[in-house]
Amino acid sequence: MNPLTQFKKILILPLLIALALVVIQVIPRALGQRDASKRSSDVEIPLLKQQPAPLEPAVCSSWTPTGSLNDARELHTVTLLPNGMVLVAGGGGNGGILASAELYDPASGTWTPTGSLNDARDLHTATLLPSGMVLVAGGFSGGNFLASAELYDPASGTWTPTGSLNATRIEHTATLLPNGMVLVAGGYNNGPLASAELYHPASGTWTATGSLNTARVFPTATLLPNGMVLVAGGFDSNEHRLASAELYDPANGTWTPTGSLNGARGAHTATLLSNGMVLAAGADFNIGGNGVSAELYDPMSGTWTLTGSLNTGRQDHTATLLPNGMVLVAGGDSANGVSAELYDPASGTWTLTGSLNTGRFWHTATLLPNGMVLVAGGRDYSVKGLPLASAELYETCKPTPTPTPTPTPTPTPTPTATPTATPRLTPAPRPRPTPQPRPHAATFAIKETE
């Protein structure tokens, strides 16, 4: 054999062997890497999607007794002050008509006497002015109808006389207008009144404004979102309930008839709902009704439409708009005086809720800044003729969110001897916003004409 040829064979053979070894090692590894890469990219990492937390049925703590008034009283007024305290003034007591006033502190649950009225009175009205002062007007005392009015200053805890009404009156309405004036309308003074007048806080004086088309005692008055005032129902000179309603326009000082109620009502309640409608409830007895009907006023069309009926017929009750948009109706001269129920504007239905600890009517109800409702005083339903000193708190329904379980991410399959794909990050759940309390419209409990 040629030495050169033999040398080539000796040289080439190891090269071929080395090349074969490289091919054996590299190609499968490359193929495996490509396959593993493909598998890892195909792995779906589940994203944690934030689902709305389902709401359990509303749970309420019902009614809880709180501190008692220093003076038992009925037919009094109540005003929530800007500092969160609650002012109760006047009313009928065990010893006659009261001049005393007291303050409720939600933090301690106690009542503290404050300055007394200059004139003892019941069947009056109380209105919180933009200045933070409280205007009390009219009422009944010592067998006389009153024209006097006075102002309460929370800073000093004292009452100061202000200008007197042009007409003595009881069982009237008082509404704070957007311009800061107070509209007083209707009422009773040896007969139903049609007159109305305006209080000017700057001058402390009253001026006459347009009269109602129908004289009425103990109607309801509701300030609408458009600035107009809706007055509805009440009693006529024969002590019959009225179905008529009318609107006051502050721009021109006149009253215009609007759609009539489906049922004549007096000693009922009227509540402005969050949707701008007005809910009138109960006290439709003298038209063959049994006090359970309710209806809605639509300011856009000027008409009333029947809605779901109360579970219990009632009059002289209270109605309170809750932060969740529902309406709490409590007590009243009804089957037992203790029942309470909730109106749901979304469904137009009433649902019974926890009963009061003490049956009562001619009481007051106030939505507190903490969302609870304070009911105070009134006449004892079980022993008619006796005013009450007791008070109690209703805790508004608070939906309890059911915790959403966090799904366990599916493990990423890891091929043998291959890199593990990095999972995508799971987005953090967004916190649920806390709804702001909606403003509250107070309902005064005033004596029905007997």
Side-chain angles (χ1 to χ4, degrees):
M1 180 180 294
N2 188 321
L4 181 58
T5 303
Q6 185 176 0
F7 175 77
K8 289 181 178 178
K9 288 183 178 180
I10 294 172
L11 181 62
I12 292 172
L13 183 60
L15 291 174
L16 291 174
I17 293 172
L19 181 60
L21 290 174
V22 170
V23 170
I24 291 172
Q25 292 181 8
V26 172
I27 292 177
R29 186 175 299 172
L31 292 173
Q33 178 67 32
R34 185 183 63 183
D35 218 30
S37 175
K38 180 179 179 181
R39 286 195 299 272
S40 63
S41 65
D42 286 345
V43 173
E44 293 294 332
I45 307 300
L47 290 179
L48 178 60
K49 296 181 179 179
Q50 177 67 12
Q51 299 293 336
L55 298 181
E56 293 178 346
V59 179
C60 301
S61 62
S62 191
W63 296 91
T64 306
T66 188
S68 292
L69 292 154
N70 292 280
D71 290 320
R73 62 186 78 218
E74 62 187 20
L75 305 169
H76 51 286
T77 55
V78 65
T79 311
L80 178 65
L81 302 178
N83 60 10
M85 306 280 276
V86 178
L87 172 69
V88 156
N94 286 313
I97 296 176
L98 300 169
S100 66
E102 42 193 306
L103 295 168
Y104 178 78
D105 183 356
S108 62
T110 57
W111 295 88
T112 305
T114 187
S116 292
L117 291 156
N118 291 279
D119 290 324
R121 63 185 80 212
D122 66 1
L123 303 171
H124 53 290
T125 56
T127 311
L128 179 66
L129 302 180
S131 63
M133 303 187 78
V134 179
L135 171 69
V136 156
F140 188 81
S141 182
N144 297 313
F145 300 105
L146 300 177
S148 66
E150 41 192 305
L151 295 169
Y152 177 78
D153 183 355
S156 63
T158 58
W159 295 88
T160 305
T162 187
S164 292
L165 292 155
N166 292 287
T168 59
R169 63 183 81 217
I170 64 172
E171 298 178 317
H172 49 285
T173 65
T175 310
L176 179 67
L177 302 178
N179 59 13
M181 294 185 179
V182 177
L183 170 69
V184 157
Y188 183 87
N189 175 356
N190 295 316
L193 296 173
S195 65
E197 42 192 303
L198 295 169
Y199 178 75
H200 304 258
S203 62
T205 58
W206 296 86
T207 56
T209 187
S211 292
L212 291 155
N213 292 280
T214 301
R216 57 188 80 219
V217 183
F218 193 19
T220 56
T222 309
L223 179 66
L224 302 179
N226 60 10
M228 308 274 279
V229 178
L230 170 70
V231 160
F235 294 87
D236 64 15
S237 57
N238 296 315
E239 299 184 11
H240 293 158
R241 288 173 166 86
L242 297 167
S244 63
E246 41 194 306
L247 293 169
Y248 178 78
D249 185 353
N252 56 28
T254 59
W255 295 87
T256 306
T258 187
S260 292
L261 292 153
N262 291 278
R265 303 176 191 275
H268 59 291
T269 55
T271 310
L272 179 66
L273 303 180
S274 304
N275 58 13
M277 308 274 278
V278 178
L279 171 69
D284 58 340
F285 295 99
N286 73 332
I287 56 166
N290 54 5
V292 299
S293 74
E295 48 192 302
L296 295 169
Y297 178 78
D298 183 354
M300 298 297 293
S301 63
T303 57
W304 295 87
T305 305
L306 289 171
T307 187
S309 292
L310 291 153
N311 292 279
T312 303
R314 62 187 79 218
Q315 62 181 359
D316 297 311
H317 50 285
T318 56
T320 310
L321 180 67
L322 303 180
N324 60 13
M326 301 181 82
V327 177
L328 170 69
V329 157
D333 194 355
S334 59
N336 52 26
V338 299
S339 72
E341 42 193 304
L342 294 168
Y343 177 76
D344 183 357
S347 62
T349 57
W350 296 87
T351 305
L352 289 171
T353 187
S355 293
L356 291 156
N357 292 283
T358 302
R360 63 186 80 215
F361 58 101
W362 297 344
H363 54 287
T364 56
T366 310
L367 179 68
L368 302 179
N370 60 12
M372 302 182 82
V373 177
L374 171 69
V375 157
R379 177 167 289 192
D380 192 333
Y381 184 84
S382 61
V383 187
K384 291 188 177 181
L386 293 180
L388 292 166
S390 65
E392 40 193 306
L393 293 168
Y394 179 82
E395 185 171 2
T396 55
C397 297
K398 296 178 180 178
T400 305
T402 303
T404 304
T406 303
T408 304
T410 305
T412 302
T414 306
T416 305
T418 59
T420 302
T422 303
R424 286 173 279 180
L425 294 178
T426 300
R430 297 178 183 176
R432 186 182 297 274
T434 302
Q436 295 299 314
R438 304 182 196 280
H440 165 66
T443 303
F444 296 113
I446 305 179
K447 183 177 180 295
E448 175 192 357
T449 303
E450 297 179 328

